Structure formats: C-alpha cells, structure tokens
Amino acid sequence: MASKRENYDNEILNLRAFYLVLLKKLWILPVAAIIGGVIAGLIYFMANVVYAPARNYVTESTLYIYFAYDENKGSEVDFYNAYTWNILVKAEDTNLPIKADDNILDRIMENLANEGYREDVDVTRQDVISSVNADIPSDVRVMLFTVKNPDRELSGAIADAANEALVAYGEKNEAFTSIKLLGRSDTKLELLPDRMGVAVALGAAIGLVLAVLTLLFVSLVDDIVYVPEDVQRRYALPVLGILSGKGQEEPSFFRNEMILAFREKLKSVSKAAIICVDDKNGKIKAESAQSRIGEVLGDGLKSEVPEFITMTLPGNDNESFEKLSHVDGVIIAVSMGKHNGAMTEHLISLLKKIDCRICGIVITDADMKFLKRYLGL
C-alpha cells in the first residue's frame, strides 16, 4: 500500500528544525523589537506632543459641606455623591422652587459676568460645563472641585465664580446648613504623565511577538527543506544522501550513510540521470551534484554504482523524453534551504506521468553545522 504523502502546505511543522532555523534568524527578533519600539515611540510623540491638544490650566478648590438634618430619616442628608454634584453644577437644580434664577450654573455665569466675562462672547455655558468637575474622594462632606481650561485666567475665574456659587447654593438649599470654602490652589499648568517609556516597551513587545508569529507562519507555508526526514515524509521518496555545501567538509557520518543508500537502492540500476530542481537554466547544479557524488563515493565504488548522466529540467529540453527513455531511473537533486518545494512537486509529478522510475532524492548544498545540531552529532 502506498504511503500517504504530505505536501509542504499541509505537513506537520518540524519544531526542532524550526527552532534551529530560528536561531540562525535570531537577529530578526531584536531588530523587530527595536522597530516596534521606535514606531510606538514616534506615534506617542506625535499624538502627545506634535498634535496634542492645548494643555489645560488647573485650579483646585476644597469645600466642606454641612448637611441639614433630615427629620424623616432621623439623620443628616447623605445622598449627595460626586455624580449628583456634577449634575447639580452642570444643570438646573430641580429641587429649588425658582429654577431659572437659583441654580449653580446660572450663578456661575452671573459671577463670571460680574468679572467681565460676557456670556456667549468671552465664555459660554458649554465652556464652563466642559471645564468643571466635582469629586467626593471619600467623605461626602468634603468636595474637591476642579477646573481645567486652556486659558489660565479663565480657569481661575471659573473656579472663583463656582466657589461663590456653591457657597450661595448651600445657603439657599434646604438640604444643607451651609457650604464653606476651605481653600483654593493657585492656577497651574496641568502636569501630564510621561509614558514614552511605556509606549516604547509596549511597541517593542508587540514587534517581538509579531516577528515570532511571522516566522512561525512563514515556516508553516514554506516549501524549503532542511532535514532529510522532512524530505522523505513530504515526497514519499528515499533520501539517498546529503552533500555538503561548497567549501564544507563532508562528514564521514553522512558519507557512510550515502554509500549504504546508493549500494542498496541503486544496485539494479545501470544508468541514472541526475536532474536538479534548481537548474532553471542549463544543468550547472546537476553537474555539480554529479561531481560531488563521485567525490563522496570514491573510485572504489565505481563498479557498484550506476553510470550517471546529467540533465536539465525536462521543460528546458525538447529531447528530455528521449534521454529519459535510455536510463533506468532518475535521481532528483534538491538544494537545502531553497524555495524549491513547488518545482520538486512538479518534477515528481511529470516523471510519474511518463512512468519514469525515481530512484530517490539527494540533498545538495547542505549546512552540515545545522544538521549536526539537529541530529545531536
């Protein structure tokens, strides 16, 4: 029964090979982190410095609220929280019998008008509403009233007008005995937290994660082969041997494996063609593979191995079918670390269509240091 093949687009990722390849590309990770940090820092700088809105001037006032005694509850009024105060300051008080004249916002506008700020000319109600905030940090009797406005003088004027309005409000509303102003700060430019470091660190982390995920995704869809086991599993063909790259010494371990495979798999083959999937033009790599095979096998095995001829890819030669009819089989040479998976698939499919025997695959230009790490040699 034929074994099931795994194409490069659906095969299981060889994590050991992936991590070893990742070590070779480790420089990508710090570079990605640096780029991510720079981009995040630039975005933060543009958003918070170059195109940042005008900074506000802040005036803070502290007021103490004396609540009236509620005879129905038998205790002081205690339902005025921060939310309630913001509603009262920014809208009309529905508890007062004269709503048009005696509410906090109206009195603030009147006080500003008395100081020379004309309504809808120098300041609008919306300006005041946007600038003020009433907060009750813990004790409902203590209010922290904050004014933030880009205009320094207006920020202070609104604070003074609001403080006077709140004190007057405490005198008129039956829920209070009185409201007293405990203190008012100087009007100062708002201090904004500098989070450039946080932005850069976050950008670097995102860049690092994206780089790892990208490398993982590329490996999942990559057609590059790195180890013979992946080649054999993908194409369901025996790997006859591994040839080192140019300038690398052929380890005796891989040389002995190759001799053993050639003796076993090619003992019934008298003549074999070598075709390299990376020979897009001519047969230079096929000839190089033939030369390296001869060097590895040595002269002592000439009588035990077939005669080799080199061929270009069938699509580049009109006489390919004629040449293939005079050989007993084909050895496919596949360069390690190259994007040649699709072409390898195509060549195997073509050879099977014409009923040409495929003896096996030889991996060329192999990184022996990588393979030794992979195999633990």
Side-chain angles (χ1 to χ4, degrees):
M1 181 182 353
S3 60
K4 181 181 177 181
R5 291 179 55 188
E6 291 186 7
N7 295 328
Y8 64 86
D9 56 350
N10 65 4
E11 66 185 353
I12 299 172
L13 178 63
N14 186 332
L15 287 176
R16 181 173 176 81
F18 167 73
Y19 290 131
L20 288 174
V21 172
L22 183 62
L23 286 175
K24 296 175 65 176
K25 300 178 180 178
L26 205 59
W27 62 270
I28 295 177
L29 301 184
V31 170
I34 292 172
I35 293 174
V38 170
I39 293 175
L42 183 61
I43 293 174
Y44 181 88
F45 178 78
M46 297 296 289
N48 293 277
V49 178
V50 179
Y51 296 108
R55 291 177 65 181
N56 290 317
Y57 286 91
V58 181
T59 309
E60 292 183 343
S61 302
T62 304
L63 299 104
Y64 194 87
I65 305 166
Y66 293 88
F67 289 100
Y69 185 80
D70 188 342
E71 294 182 356
N72 294 327
K73 293 178 62 179
S75 63
E76 291 184 346
V77 177
D78 60 359
F79 56 81
Y80 281 74
N81 55 27
Y83 177 80
T84 305
W85 277 114
N86 276 293
I87 294 296
L88 295 177
V89 171
K90 300 179 182 182
E92 213 176 276
D93 182 4
T94 57
N95 292 325
L96 291 176
I98 305 175
K99 304 179 181 61
D101 298 326
D102 296 315
N103 66 75
I104 299 174
L105 183 57
D106 280 345
R107 189 172 289 275
I108 292 174
M109 300 308 298
E110 290 174 6
N111 293 338
L112 286 171
N114 294 335
E115 294 297 322
Y117 290 92
R118 297 166 294 173
E119 185 172 351
D120 294 329
V121 177
D122 302 309
V123 62
T124 66
R125 287 177 177 254
Q126 187 57 49
D127 291 336
V128 174
I129 291 172
S130 301
S131 300
V132 301
N133 180 68
D135 189 22
I136 305 295
S138 57
D139 191 337
V140 293
R141 294 169 296 182
V142 178
M143 178 196 300
L144 183 63
F145 194 84
T146 306
V147 180
K148 294 182 180 181
N149 193 279
D151 188 316
R152 180 190 181 93
E153 299 299 328
L154 182 57
S155 176
I158 292 175
D160 291 335
N163 290 337
E164 185 180 339
L166 287 166
V167 170
Y169 184 75
E171 296 174 354
K172 288 183 174 291
N173 194 298
E174 295 179 354
F176 312 98
T177 301
S178 65
I179 297 177
K180 291 186 177 180
L181 176 65
L182 299 181
R184 171 195 180 280
S185 70
D186 294 333
T187 303
K188 299 178 181 179
L189 187 64
E190 182 180 20
L191 294 177
L192 298 177
D194 184 4
R195 294 197 168 95
M196 174 66 80
V198 176
V200 171
L202 180 61
I206 292 174
L208 185 64
V209 171
L210 288 178
V212 172
L213 292 177
T214 300
L215 289 174
L216 182 61
F217 175 76
V218 169
S219 296
L220 287 171
V221 298
D222 203 353
D223 63 347
I224 295 177
V225 293
Y226 293 101
V227 294
E229 288 74 20
D230 289 344
V231 176
Q232 190 158 316
R233 182 169 54 249
R234 180 187 295 180
Y235 303 117
L237 292 171
V239 175
L240 301 176
I242 302 172
L243 298 173
S244 63
K246 187 176 181 180
Q248 294 189 51
E249 183 181 353
E250 196 75 33
S252 59
F253 181 87
F254 296 110
R255 179 178 180 275
N256 294 334
E257 280 191 342
M258 189 170 182
I259 292 173
L260 180 64
F262 267 72
R263 279 176 171 170
E264 179 62 27
K265 296 295 182 181
L266 278 74
K267 56 187 176 183
S268 61
V269 178
S270 59
K271 191 174 185 180
I274 299 176
I275 303 176
C276 183
V277 295
D278 298 296
D279 273 329
K280 302 301 187 294
N281 298 298
K283 51 182 180 177
I284 298 174
K285 289 186 176 293
E287 291 174 347
S288 176
Q290 179 191 20
S291 175
R292 290 290 292 121
I293 290 172
E295 292 175 7
V296 173
L297 296 179
D299 295 335
L301 292 177
K302 283 188 176 180
S303 60
E304 299 183 48
V305 296
E307 175 189 355
F308 298 119
I309 65 168
T310 56
M311 289 180 55
T312 184
L313 287 168
N316 294 331
D317 189 351
N318 294 329
E319 299 179 357
S320 294
F321 184 77
E322 175 66 23
K323 293 178 181 178
L324 289 172
S325 65
H326 291 89
V327 297
D328 300 315
V330 172
I331 297 174
I332 299 175
V334 178
S335 297
M336 177 180 174
K338 302 292 185 181
H339 293 280
N340 49 28
M343 181 57 76
T344 304
E345 285 278 347
H346 179 73
L347 178 59
I348 291 172
S349 176
L350 176 63
L351 293 174
K352 288 185 175 182
K353 285 179 184 177
I354 60 177
D355 295 324
C356 182
R357 176 186 175 186
I358 303 175
C359 300
I361 294 176
V362 172
I363 299 176
T364 65
D365 301 320
D367 185 343
M368 291 302 176
K369 290 182 179 179
F370 175 86
L371 289 174
K372 284 182 177 179
R373 291 195 199 101
Y374 178 80
L375 296 173
L377 295 176

